[in-house]
């Protein structure tokens, strides 16, 4: 079982998340909280594998969720983090994932209508993987493409498609299915992307998301 804690200040949303996750036979919701300090108190008494956090929480309703995520990971690097947001601003995703993407997910709340998406995110971060909402990926790539002097300008249209799919957490098989090509073709495009971006395998354990975000963040500064 994957033991999960939920932190969300909106009562209805919090209970909705708990209901969705509790339907999975692989997930046990061990507790919920409406504020950062409540979650920290909960985690002192309950051991969990993954936390689901709202990005905007009391007292200022700005980026308390990101601050909380960093605090939690400092003390428990293996803890999975699923961040929920109603905002499409890619800056929030970069702030969350800038120090590494392993075991982290960033989803828009509008995806909560699809229970499978949230369950998948919890399972993925529990395994050390990463998921980034496709709309955030689109926003990141759109912002970057406007800077035509950047390294992404050297990618072919097909490589851009592969890059976007990689950033959503898809593996070679899923990318191949989405683009209706063979896995060997995806591997070829992936190698070309990393070579053109000047990234190496050792930059992050989960390069399919982290390499994209690492480069975008570096060039965004």
């Amino acid at each position: 079982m994957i033991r999960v804690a939920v932190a969300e200040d909106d009562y209805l949303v919090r209970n909705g998340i708990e209901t969705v996750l509790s339907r999975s036979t692989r997930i046990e919701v061990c507790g919920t909280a409406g504020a950062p300090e409540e979650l920290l108190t909960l985690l002192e008494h309950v051991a969990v594998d993954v936390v689901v956090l709202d990005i905007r929480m009391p007292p200022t309703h700005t980026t308390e969720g990101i601050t909380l995520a960093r605090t939690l990971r400092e003390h428990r690097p293996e803890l999975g983090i699923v961040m929920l947001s109603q905002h499409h601003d890619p800056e929030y995703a970069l702030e969350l994932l800038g120090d590494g993407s392993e075991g982290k997910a960033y989803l828009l709340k509008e995806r909560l209508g699809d229970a499978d998406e949230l369950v998948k995110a919890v399972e993925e971060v529990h395994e050390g993987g990463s998921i980034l909402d496709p709309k955030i990926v689109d926003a990141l790539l759109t912002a970057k493409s406007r800077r035509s002097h950047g390294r992404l300008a050297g990618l072919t249209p097909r490589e851009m498609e592969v890059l976007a799919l990689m950033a959503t957490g898809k593996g070679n098989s899923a990318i191949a299915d989405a683009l209706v090509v063979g896995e060997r073709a995806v591997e070829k495009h992936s190698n070309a992307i990393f070579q053109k971006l000047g990234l190496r395998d050792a930059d992050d354990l989960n390069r399919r998301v982290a390499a994209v975000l690492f480069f975008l963040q570096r060039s965004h500064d």
Side-chain angles (χ1 to χ4, degrees):
M1 294 290 287
I2 304 173
R3 297 169 60 84
V4 178
V6 178
E8 161 66 56
D9 65 306
D10 187 296
Y11 175 81
L12 293 178
V13 175
R14 184 168 68 248
N15 280 271
I17 294 171
E18 182 178 10
T19 299
V20 167
L21 294 178
S22 296
R23 290 174 181 167
S24 171
T25 57
R26 290 197 59 202
I27 295 174
E28 177 187 358
V29 178
C30 299
T32 65
E37 61 273 13
E38 291 179 17
L39 178 64
L40 292 174
T41 299
L42 172 66
L43 296 182
E44 290 178 358
H45 301 90
V46 180
V48 302
D49 305 304
V50 176
V51 292
V52 178
L53 305 173
D54 183 14
I55 196 169
R56 293 191 172 186
M57 301 178 68
T60 68
H61 294 278
T62 54
T63 58
E64 281 83 1
I66 292 176
T67 301
L68 180 57
R70 287 176 174 169
T71 298
L72 292 174
R73 288 295 289 268
E74 285 178 3
H75 295 89
R76 288 191 55 192
E78 78 285 358
L79 185 66
I81 303 289
V82 176
M83 187 67 67
L84 301 177
S85 174
Q86 62 183 2
H87 305 284
H88 292 209
D89 191 340
E91 291 294 336
Y92 290 131
L94 290 174
E95 189 173 351
L96 173 68
L97 304 173
D99 60 348
S101 67
E102 184 183 8
K104 296 179 183 178
Y106 187 98
L107 298 180
L108 295 177
K109 285 187 176 180
E110 63 192 56
R111 304 286 181 186
L112 295 181
D114 186 345
D116 290 340
E117 288 293 324
L118 183 56
V119 171
K120 176 184 176 182
V122 169
E123 294 176 340
E124 187 71 20
V125 300
H126 180 247
E127 296 297 326
S130 302
I131 291 183
L132 187 62
D133 195 286
K135 287 192 175 182
I136 297 299
V137 174
D138 289 342
L140 286 166
L141 293 179
T142 297
K144 178 58 187 172
S145 67
R146 293 186 183 131
R147 304 179 64 174
S148 59
H149 62 281
R151 295 183 184 179
L152 284 182
L155 301 185
T156 67
R158 176 61 86 185
E159 288 167 353
M160 286 288 286
E161 290 179 311
V162 172
L163 180 61
L165 290 170
M166 279 197 297
T168 65
K170 294 185 183 299
N172 284 353
S173 178
I175 294 175
D177 290 342
L179 299 179
V180 195
V181 298
E183 286 191 47
R184 294 187 67 180
V186 173
E187 292 176 2
K188 179 180 178 181
H189 290 310
S190 299
N191 291 333
I193 289 168
F194 284 99
Q195 181 178 0
K196 291 179 180 180
L197 298 185
L199 298 172
R200 298 179 180 178
D201 294 352
D203 287 332
D204 196 294
L205 294 176
N206 189 345
R207 72 176 189 173
R208 293 198 171 277
V209 174
V212 175
L213 295 176
F214 175 80
F215 173 70
L216 291 175
Q217 183 185 35
R218 182 178 60 187
S219 61
H220 198 79
D221 292 338

